[in-house]
């Protein structure tokens, strides 16, 4: 039992879990500060300091997940710690389950930023999870205490939303063969009923970061990070872009099924991938791809504030110095199509690659190039032929 003077800052989302946890913490004797992320304060830093590094990295976990929740946790944790220090609170609490990734992300971030902080994780406390074995018991508790929650027995899935994405888990989604209900999605419309006319956008990058977006259909332009990102969310959502339904490997060791909507992030992933390939040396990009893979794993697993993640961010940012230019994309029926690109740092030499102009290239040189590369293959298969002959004898 906490003393009355003990103060806890709760990462409060307004969902079923944290709404019930707020009341439960008060029952335990804590003075609770419900921490909410204020849009005008935190969203801009979320875009500029968390989403933009992920865009530069082409961060993608297990080839599909754009890390919407994973990127938000260190941003929220940073403010949680700040509020706790300002309010003299010794404790921070969260509503992450004992089986998921978010408990790791929140707590590693908080401990890195404030080693003396103490974390209360109700879903790992027997007195809590034995009282509330599942979401049904939480809903009954909420009803008993008059707690308004957005979850109903007919739609019991767990949702986590931020500026970048929304995720859906639990309930009927826990069976991987079940198709998600059509009314589940909230950030994107059904691609089959989306507009029959695409939106065409010009997205300008500097150092791998989007700095301007223009809709060529109506001339609408946005330059600030937050306005640009919100606008891309609107356009992508209108055309049903950014939906995925995946089974992924959680850091704690189990597979989970998640459904995600990441509208703007999906557009920017494709656009940045294109301008990077256009402006970056081939061998540098191979190394950078390896760094991006490691960066994505670190972010997913909650190590944003680790020395290795800090090092990788510096390396990736260095690789983006020449990643500048404009990519034209079409957004239509759930897809993002690349239409063209241009850059002052382009490594594309039209004359060199042309099939109509020889340029500064001697075709005869390719003969030696092919012969040298064929040497290894010839020797390998010569040896294999000898081995096969001996085995047949």
């Amino acid at each position: 039992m906490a003393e009355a003077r003990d103060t806890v800052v709760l990462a409060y989302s307004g969902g079923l879990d944290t709404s019930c946890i707020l009341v439960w913490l008060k029952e335990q004797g804590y003075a609770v500060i419900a921490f909410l992320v204020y849009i005008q304060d935190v969203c801009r830093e979320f875009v500029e300091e968390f989403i933009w590094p992920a865009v530069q990295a082409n961060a993608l976990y297990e080839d599909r997940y754009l890390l919407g929740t994973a990127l938000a946790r260190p941003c929220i944790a940073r403010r949680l710690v700040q509020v706790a220090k300002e309010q003299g609170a010794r404790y921070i609490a969260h509503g992450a389950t004992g089986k998921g990734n978010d408990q790791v992300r929140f707590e590693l971030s908080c401990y890195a930023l404030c080693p003396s902080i103490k974390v209360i994780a109700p879903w790992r406390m027997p007195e809590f999870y034995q009282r509330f074995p599942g979401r049904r018991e939480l809903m009954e508790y909420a009803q008993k205490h008059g707690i308004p929650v957005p979850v109903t027995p007919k739609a019991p899935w767990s949702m986590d939303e931020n500026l970048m994405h929304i995720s859906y888990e639990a309930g009927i989604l826990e069976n991987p063969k079940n198709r998600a209900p059509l009314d589940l999605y909230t950030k994107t419309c059904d691609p089959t009923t989306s507009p029959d006319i695409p939106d065409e956008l010009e997205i300008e990058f500097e150092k791998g970061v989007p700095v301007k977006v223009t809709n060529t259909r109506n001339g609408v332009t946005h330059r600030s990070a937050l306005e640009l990102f919100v606008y891309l969310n609107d356009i992508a959502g209108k055309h049903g872009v950014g939906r995925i339904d995946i089974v992924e490997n959680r850091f704690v060791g189990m597979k989970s099924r998640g459904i995600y909507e990441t509208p703007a992030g999906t557009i920017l992933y494709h656009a940045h991938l294109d301008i990077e390939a256009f402006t970056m040396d081939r061998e540098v990009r191979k190394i950078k791809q390896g760094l991006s893979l490691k960066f994505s794993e670190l972010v997913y697993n909650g190590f944003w504030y680790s020395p290795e993640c800090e090092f990788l961010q510096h390396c990736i940012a260095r690789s983006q110095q020449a990643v500048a230019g404009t990519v034209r994309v079409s957004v239509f029926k759930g897809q993002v199509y690349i239409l063209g690109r241009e850059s002052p740092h382009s490594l594309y030499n039209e004359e060199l690659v042309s099939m109509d102009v020889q340029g500064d290239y001697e075709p005869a040189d390719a003969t030696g190039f092919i012969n040298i590369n064929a040497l290894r293959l010839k020797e390998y298969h010569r040896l294999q032929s000898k081995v096969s002959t001996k085995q047949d004898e």
Side-chain angles (χ1 to χ4, degrees):
M1 218 42 173
E3 297 180 18
R5 65 177 178 276
D6 282 341
T7 300
V8 57
V9 179
L10 171 65
Y12 178 72
S13 69
L16 176 63
D17 293 49
T18 53
S19 293
C20 291
I21 286 172
L22 189 154
V23 176
W24 183 82
L25 286 170
K26 291 172 68 176
E27 287 181 347
Q28 309 310 303
Y30 290 99
V32 182
I33 297 174
F35 172 71
L36 296 171
V37 178
Y38 294 95
I39 292 175
Q40 67 185 76
D41 292 329
V42 177
C43 280
R44 181 168 287 104
E45 68 187 64
F46 179 42
V47 173
E48 295 178 347
E49 299 178 34
F50 295 87
I51 296 177
W52 279 180
V55 170
Q56 288 179 308
N58 290 121
L60 203 62
Y61 180 70
E62 294 189 335
D63 304 315
R64 291 187 287 179
Y65 174 43
L66 287 165
L67 299 168
T69 296
L71 288 166
R73 295 320 188 206
C75 179
I76 294 171
R78 186 166 70 182
R79 284 304 182 101
L80 277 173
V81 168
Q82 179 183 328
V83 171
K85 289 180 177 178
E86 291 173 352
Q87 299 298 321
R90 293 192 297 156
Y91 298 92
I92 283 175
H94 61 75
T97 73
K99 293 183 178 181
N101 298 305
D102 281 338
Q103 59 179 337
V104 182
R105 295 164 180 160
F106 273 129
E107 294 180 38
L108 290 182
S109 295
C110 289
Y111 290 140
L113 296 170
C114 184
S116 63
I117 203 73
K118 298 183 184 301
V119 176
I120 299 173
W123 281 116
R124 297 204 305 269
M125 300 168 68
E127 61 266 37
F128 184 86
Y129 65 70
Q130 289 175 3
R131 181 178 177 182
F132 304 106
R135 296 177 70 76
R136 179 175 60 83
E137 288 79 11
L138 281 178
M139 284 186 272
E140 291 173 354
Y141 181 80
Q143 184 177 16
K144 176 182 177 181
H145 291 273
I147 304 170
V149 293
V151 177
T152 67
K154 292 184 178 180
W157 42 77
S158 173
M159 298 182 290
D160 180 77
E161 183 175 13
N162 60 50
L163 182 64
M164 186 177 185
H165 93 156
I166 186 168
S167 64
Y168 308 90
E169 294 178 325
I172 63 169
L173 303 178
E174 289 183 348
N175 187 333
K177 74 176 183 181
N178 287 341
R179 179 176 179 175
L182 295 177
D183 61 352
L184 174 139
Y185 299 94
T186 59
K187 276 187 175 290
T188 61
C189 72
D190 186 340
T192 63
T193 59
S194 64
D196 294 325
I197 299 175
D199 276 283
E200 293 187 3
L201 307 172
E202 290 185 347
I203 304 174
E204 184 177 336
F205 289 86
E206 290 181 6
K207 296 183 179 180
V209 169
V211 295
K212 179 182 177 183
V213 60
T214 301
N215 191 319
T216 59
R217 284 184 55 199
N218 55 26
V220 171
T221 296
H222 293 282
R223 294 179 181 272
S224 78
L226 183 55
E227 290 179 0
L228 183 158
F229 197 81
V230 169
Y231 181 69
L232 289 179
N233 263 340
D234 292 341
I235 294 295
K238 180 176 72 172
H239 291 281
V241 166
R243 296 183 177 189
I244 61 169
D245 181 335
I246 65 173
V247 173
E248 69 199 61
N249 289 292
R250 289 179 179 170
F251 187 29
V252 295
M254 65 187 77
K255 292 185 183 290
S256 67
R257 191 266 189 98
I259 294 174
Y260 303 101
E261 296 176 90
T262 317
T266 301
I267 292 178
L268 290 174
Y269 174 82
H270 290 288
H272 179 270
L273 193 65
D274 189 80
I275 197 66
E276 183 178 86
F278 194 49
T279 56
M280 186 178 288
D281 175 78
R282 180 185 70 181
E283 298 305 314
V284 172
R285 188 160 182 271
K286 286 180 182 178
I287 296 172
K288 189 260 181 179
Q289 285 177 299
L291 298 179
S292 296
L293 178 62
K294 184 61 178 178
F295 173 78
S296 301
E297 291 177 351
L298 288 173
V299 173
Y300 185 86
N301 292 340
F303 289 93
W304 181 272
Y305 294 110
S306 67
E308 62 270 32
C309 192
E310 180 181 347
F311 173 74
L312 282 177
Q313 286 193 57
H314 284 298
C315 294
I316 291 169
R318 177 63 182 85
S319 77
Q320 300 295 294
Q321 295 302 302
V323 180
T326 300
V327 181
R328 295 189 301 280
V329 303
S330 172
V331 188
F332 185 59
K333 297 292 183 184
Q335 299 295 322
V336 179
Y337 301 96
I338 303 295
L339 303 179
R341 77 288 293 160
E342 58 183 342
S343 170
H345 304 303
S346 167
L347 293 176
Y348 182 90
N349 186 328
E350 186 174 353
E351 183 180 271
L352 183 61
V353 79
S354 174
M355 298 181 70
D356 298 317
V357 180
Q358 185 167 316
D360 188 21
Y361 180 79
E362 180 53 60
D365 291 345
T367 302
F369 176 79
I370 293 169
N371 287 338
I372 292 297
N373 279 280
L375 181 62
R376 176 178 60 89
L377 304 180
K378 289 178 181 179
E379 288 302 297
Y380 172 78
H381 287 284
R382 180 178 63 80
L383 177 61
Q384 292 300 107
S385 297
K386 288 184 178 180
V387 172
S388 298
T389 300
K390 288 184 179 181
Q391 290 177 343
D392 293 339
E393 289 178 353

